Structures are given as C-alpha cells and as structure tokens.
Amino acid sequence: MTVNVLFIAAESEPFIKIGGLGDVAGALPAAIHRIAEKQPAAYPIDIRVALPYYRAIKEKGFPVKFLGEFNVPKKETAIPCQVYLFADGEFPVYFLDGAPIAESAQVYSLNTSDDGDKFVFFSSAALRLADFLNWKIDILHANDWHTATAIYALKNSLISSPQLSRTKTVHSLHNLPFMGYGIQQSLSDYGLPPSQNPTLPEWARHVPLPLGLLHADKIIAVSPHYAKEILTPQFGCGLEDFLATRTQALTGIINGLDIDLWNPETNPHIQQNFTADSLSRRLVNKRHLQTKFQLPKNDRVPVMTLISRMDPQKGIDIALKGLEYCQDLDWQAVILGTGTPEVEAQARELETRFPDRVRAIIDFDNKLAHQLYAGADLFLMPSRYEPCGLSQMISMRYGCIPVARKTGGLADTIHSVSGSVNGGTGFLFVEPYPSAFAGAVKRAIRYYHKPELWEIIQRNGMKIDFSWESSAKKYIEIYLALAKTPRAADEA
Ligand code: GLC
C-alpha cells in the first residue's frame, strides 16, 4: 500500500527561500521522493508538496498548470483558492493562491499578526486539496508555526472528508521561539476556536505552533540535541512543561545537506577546487581571499570567517566581542551577513578598530559565501540556540574548521577536539559568553599551528556523510509506522 504524504511549508527551495526552513522543505521531500522511486517496495511513498503561490514565486516564472479552484470558508463568506501544479517537477508541487496570499507583499511580515490570514488560509486550503485532488492523505507533514494550523484544523474536524478520515500528522520543529503569536483573530475567522486543553499553558491555547505540537502524532525537532533542549526552561520558551507531556511523540532527526551544491571538488564559484586528498590546493582560495580583501598576505595566519544572518539567535555579538579577547594572537577575519542594525554596526566597528585584520561585508552574497568556506581556516558559529544549522556542515565539508557553541544541531554534528584529534572535527564551547568563545578560538589556533594535526581535523570533517539519504529514510520510517497505527479516535 502506498502511503500518501502531503508536505506543507511556508517556503521551499528552489521556489522561495528566506531561511533554513526553505533549504529543508526543498531538499527533504525531494530526497524522500528519490528514495521511494529507487526502492518502491521498501519505501512506498507518494510525497507531494504544497506552497503558497507568493508574488515572488510568480515573478520567477516557474512553468505551471492551472488545475482549478475551490472555496475556503471564512466567517460567513468563502474565499476562492486557485490550485496550480508546477509543470516541471519530478514529483507534484502545488501552488495555492487566493486573496490572502496574493495581497501579501512579503513571505514574512515584520508584524506576525499581518501573516495570520495568509497562513491560516493556506493551511486550511492545503487540507482541502485532498478532496480537490481526490487523493487520500495518509500523512500530513507540517513545518513550524505557519502550517501548524493545518494540524489543528484536522484535529478540530474543521473539514470532514473521507480522504482525511485516517490522516496522521507530523510536525517538524525548526525554530521554537517563532510561534505565530497574535493571530487568534485569523484562527477564529476560519472557524478555529482556542483550545481548551489544560496541558497547554493558557497563553498558548490560541497560538498556532503550540496547537500543532499539542495534536501532532509525531513531533520532529531538526536535531536530537534540540529535541532534548526544548524540554528545559532555557530553550523551551515556556512550553517545556507542556512538551514534557509529549515526549512519547517527540524525536529529533538531523537535517542533511545538499552535497552536490556544496561540493568543493566541483563548485564553480571557487578559485580552486580541492578534495580531502588535495588539501594543499585550498591555499589558492585563502590567498585569493587575502588579496580580494586587502589583508596582509600571509599563509600562516589563520583566516576566520563568519557567515550568518545577524540576529540575536546567531550570537554574532558574542563572537565580535570574543575576537577582541584574542588580540594577542595573530589572525584575520571576514564577516559576511546582514541583519539587525546594531549587530551590523558592531561588525563595522570591529573592522574600524582592526583595519589590518577584520573585514565586515554587510551583504547577502552567495558566491562570496562559497569562496569564504573554501578559503578560510576557521568558521565561527556562536549561536545562542541552533535547532540544526547548515553552515557548520558546509564548513566541515570544505575543510574550514568550525568553532561553535555546543547547542542543538551544532552539538550533534561537530565532534569537539579534546586531547586528541581522533574523530575531532571542530571546537565547541558551552557558555554563550565572549570569554568562552575566545577560549575555543585560542584552542583552535593552537592546533592550526600544528599543520599535521590540523589536516587530520580537516579530513575528519570532510569525510562525514552529511547527505540527506539517512535522515530522509528516518522520516520515511516514521511515515510508514504512523500509517500502520490506528488513529486515537479510530481505537475508541
Ligand atoms: C531554522 C533553524 C536552523 C535550522 C533550520 C532548518 O532556521 O534556526 O537551526 O537549521 O531552521 O531546519
């Protein structure tokens, strides 16, 4: 029996990408589809994706086929939803359009309440695809707060359809603090009352993310470490006690990386391609960086890089301050990213203070990012929390050793060098303070000056399989197991 999976998200590569969710919602369904296609007997999955048909997607001109229209009830009226199919897909990707989506200029507004209508409409419309396509949904896989409402709507029996009578739900958690607070009006407009469930704190009973987490048959955090952290007050955002009631359903699966896109052997953006067996060639890329940024040309000075969105989650301030504590050592640093004005200003300030060592590039520049991974020696990732994180995997694959905070997916993917380099792939620090960060940088630089050991660390990281294959199989196992178990209501 084929298990039908509808995967819904607010963003997905290559159609639209704002952050890490877009990477995952692009790569994971594609990986699942490929595995199912290769081994249909072992992995009988029909996975399909639905996305809001944002203006930005339309403008990119992807070829689509109009499939038709249905109505989504809202208060006393109904809002038409148009369904388009991406015409060039290896598997079906549906774009859903309608006034709340068409009227919205951006994927995410600064004010969450402005996004309520769009995402509640989309979530509700996505469920109605089952009837529209005459396609039974066995598994509804929602991501983050934007699509959590679909799980809540299903459990609230908002839509009655034989195609949904046995649907199980999976909720992927990419970022707990973003819960969709302040959209209760939209929920109620689309027929969804607040929950009465006493296990949820009162403030959370009309907030989409907790409502999804309450009802999902399976909650998947994007790393095993994050799945544990969210049960603590430090990372649980006030939901830790509630989440403790859901540990049976909660698990963590690490994200993968698109290893074809991020391949130092073939990447077209970098000066010199290289592999774990030709590491010495990497030096060409490092020299290129020093020339490009007019930094002193010196092969033996470690070049650090930090490539990130500059917001509080990423802890850039911790690194900027921490670098000041490392002044007595020789190093260079290139910082690339955009974000909050304060952090951007701090980065510029560091460049002004250390004109012969620091460059702050306040920009989003994909090509430069590739060149930095390929040429820098150390990658800085001081995140306050990091559900999974992608750049540490990229950096290890490029022989650029991460110095990172021991949290979430960073703790799962980086093996800290301690005592010996055996299996070590980077340097972790525990407390989110500049002094702890500086301690790890200094440790790393000590190893950097022992080239034989440094190369072992580089190769350890480059040899790790970061592909989606094994994680995608874990998702499939979950789908198959869920599809076999009766729904709680069916058991009664
Ligand atoms: C969010 C998290 C990040 C994770 C990504 C994809 O952006 O902050 O850690 O890698 O989602 O799951």
Side-chain angles (χ1 to χ4, degrees), residues 181-325:
Y181 198 83
I183 68 147
Q184 56 266 45
Q185 187 57 47
S186 303
L187 289 174
S188 113
D189 288 351
Y190 285 88
L192 290 165
S195 170
Q196 304 294 327
N197 193 304
T199 55
L200 271 184
E202 211 160 319
W203 61 263
R205 293 182 196 165
H206 49 71
V207 183
L209 185 77
L211 292 173
L213 297 174
L214 173 66
H215 290 293
D217 294 303
K218 201 86 196 170
I219 301 170
I220 304 182
V222 287
S223 69
H225 206 84
Y226 194 55
K228 291 199 192 107
E229 282 176 338
I230 55 175
L231 298 170
T232 66
Q234 199 190 346
F235 295 94
C237 306
L239 290 181
E240 55 279 4
D241 292 341
F242 153 69
L243 285 167
T245 68
R246 300 245 51 213
T247 47
Q248 293 284 347
L250 174 64
T251 186
I253 299 180
I254 198 83
N255 290 334
L257 175 72
D258 182 336
I259 55 169
D260 296 324
L261 187 68
W262 297 100
N263 185 353
E265 195 174 352
T266 54
N267 191 289
H269 300 305
I270 62 182
Q271 244 42 40
Q272 172 67 60
N273 292 110
F274 59 95
T275 66
D277 298 324
S278 57
L279 266 177
S280 56
R281 294 200 191 143
R282 242 186 139 260
L283 201 54
V284 176
N285 298 318
K286 174 169 175 171
R287 289 179 181 154
H288 171 72
L289 290 178
Q290 288 174 330
T291 310
K292 180 171 176 138
F293 293 110
Q294 294 169 343
L295 288 163
K297 287 186 195 127
N298 184 340
D299 293 347
R300 294 305 311 144
V301 175
V303 174
M304 309 190 216
T305 190
L306 191 160
I307 307 171
S308 177
R309 219 171 355 103
M310 295 184 173
D311 68 17
Q313 172 188 350
K314 300 296 178 182
I316 311 303
D317 50 311
I318 297 172
L320 295 175
K321 189 92 202 125
L323 284 176
E324 289 186 29
Y325 298 168

Side-chain angles (χ1 to χ4, degrees), residues 36-267:
E37 202 179 39
K38 238 195 262 165
Q39 295 166 267
Y43 303 109
I45 302 285
D46 176 357
I47 190 162
R48 306 185 184 191
V49 172
L51 297 172
Y53 201 11
Y54 305 109
R55 224 178 278 173
I57 301 186
K58 288 179 198 158
E59 281 162 8
K60 285 193 204 158
F62 291 101
V64 294
K65 184 171 168 232
F66 177 64
L67 297 187
E69 188 175 279
F70 56 79
N71 279 332
V72 177
K74 181 185 180 188
K75 289 200 228 163
E76 276 76 52
T77 61
I79 304 190
C81 170
Q82 296 81 32
V83 184
Y84 297 84
L85 174 70
F86 173 48
D88 253 0
E90 284 171 35
F91 58 96
V93 175
Y94 303 103
F95 298 125
L96 305 188
D97 205 357
I101 294 167
E103 280 160 13
S104 166
Q106 280 161 341
V107 174
Y108 306 124
S109 314
L110 280 178
N111 195 344
T112 301
S113 56
D114 294 341
D115 287 335
D117 232 34
K118 173 175 60 191
F119 289 129
V120 177
F121 168 79
F122 172 72
S123 299
S124 178
L127 278 181
R128 284 164 210 277
L129 268 183
D131 263 355
F132 176 79
L133 298 168
N134 197 14
W135 184 67
K136 177 174 63 79
I137 301 179
D138 297 304
I139 307 290
L140 173 74
H141 188 158
N143 292 271
D144 280 353
W145 79 264
H146 329 97
T147 45
T149 303
I151 296 178
Y152 189 52
L154 185 76
K155 299 291 163 149
N156 249 276
S157 305
L158 187 70
I159 301 157
S160 79
S161 156
Q163 311 288 6
L164 295 172
S165 64
R166 292 188 55 79
T167 308
K168 307 285 178 19
T169 53
V170 175
H171 195 175
S172 280
L173 191 56
H174 302 261
N175 208 327
L176 185 62
F178 295 87
M179 297 192 194
Y181 198 83
I183 68 147
Q184 56 266 45
Q185 187 57 47
S186 303
L187 289 174
S188 113
D189 288 351
Y190 285 88
L192 290 165
S195 170
Q196 304 294 327
N197 193 304
T199 55
L200 271 184
E202 211 160 319
W203 61 263
R205 293 182 196 165
H206 49 71
V207 183
L209 185 77
L211 292 173
L213 297 174
L214 173 66
H215 290 293
D217 294 303
K218 201 86 196 170
I219 301 170
I220 304 182
V222 287
S223 69
H225 206 84
Y226 194 55
K228 291 199 192 107
E229 282 176 338
I230 55 175
L231 298 170
T232 66
Q234 199 190 346
F235 295 94
C237 306
L239 290 181
E240 55 279 4
D241 292 341
F242 153 69
L243 285 167
T245 68
R246 300 245 51 213
T247 47
Q248 293 284 347
L250 174 64
T251 186
I253 299 180
I254 198 83
N255 290 334
L257 175 72
D258 182 336
I259 55 169
D260 296 324
L261 187 68
W262 297 100
N263 185 353
E265 195 174 352
T266 54
N267 191 289

Side-chain angles (χ1 to χ4, degrees), residues 19-24 144 173-175 178 222 255 309 313-314 381 385-393 409:
L21 171 60
D23 291 305
V24 176
D144 280 353
L173 191 56
H174 302 261
N175 208 327
F178 295 87
V222 287
N255 290 334
R309 219 171 355 103
Q313 172 188 350
K314 300 296 178 182
M381 203 158 173
Y385 71 92
E386 196 62 76
C388 179
L390 198 61
S391 3
Q392 82 279 12
M393 296 192 241

